[in-house]
Amino acid sequence: MWFVIWAEDAPNSLAARRATRPAHLDRLKALQTEGRLLVAGPCPAIAATDPGDAGFTGSMVVAEFDTLADAQAWANADPYLAAGVYEQVTVKPYLKVLP
């Protein structure tokens, strides 16, 4: 089943986000290679593809896992969470309807 992982960034976490990004992306690329990633990306703090020092407010991932517990475990192991980038992470089942 698909699950949405919605993460909210902690205040002033841009430096930690930048430092931890390669490890974070490696995990997403692994899901993509396995055919389990629908979409993933950050939420810029301003309406720009490169928000610069304005940074980001969080991230969203929609990926396939066997169970909610598996999705939660994957989210809990995210390097951004360990580095303090994420202040709060919510995992919910997701039904893809369109397209």
Side-chain angles (χ1 to χ4, degrees), residues 51-69:
D53 290 339
F56 301 90
T57 61
S59 302
M60 184 199 64
V61 175
V62 179
E64 189 174 33
F65 296 93
D66 290 334
T67 67
L68 177 60

Side-chain angles (χ1 to χ4, degrees), residues 33-91:
T33 298
E34 295 167 6
R36 297 172 43 209
L37 183 64
L38 183 63
V39 66
C43 300
I46 60 173
T49 56
D50 180 0
D53 290 339
F56 301 90
T57 61
S59 302
M60 184 199 64
V61 175
V62 179
E64 189 174 33
F65 296 93
D66 290 334
T67 67
L68 177 60
D70 290 343
Q72 187 68 62
W74 188 89
N76 289 345
D78 194 304
Y80 278 176
L81 190 60
V85 174
Y86 291 156
E87 182 174 61
Q88 180 179 340
V89 177
T90 303
V91 180

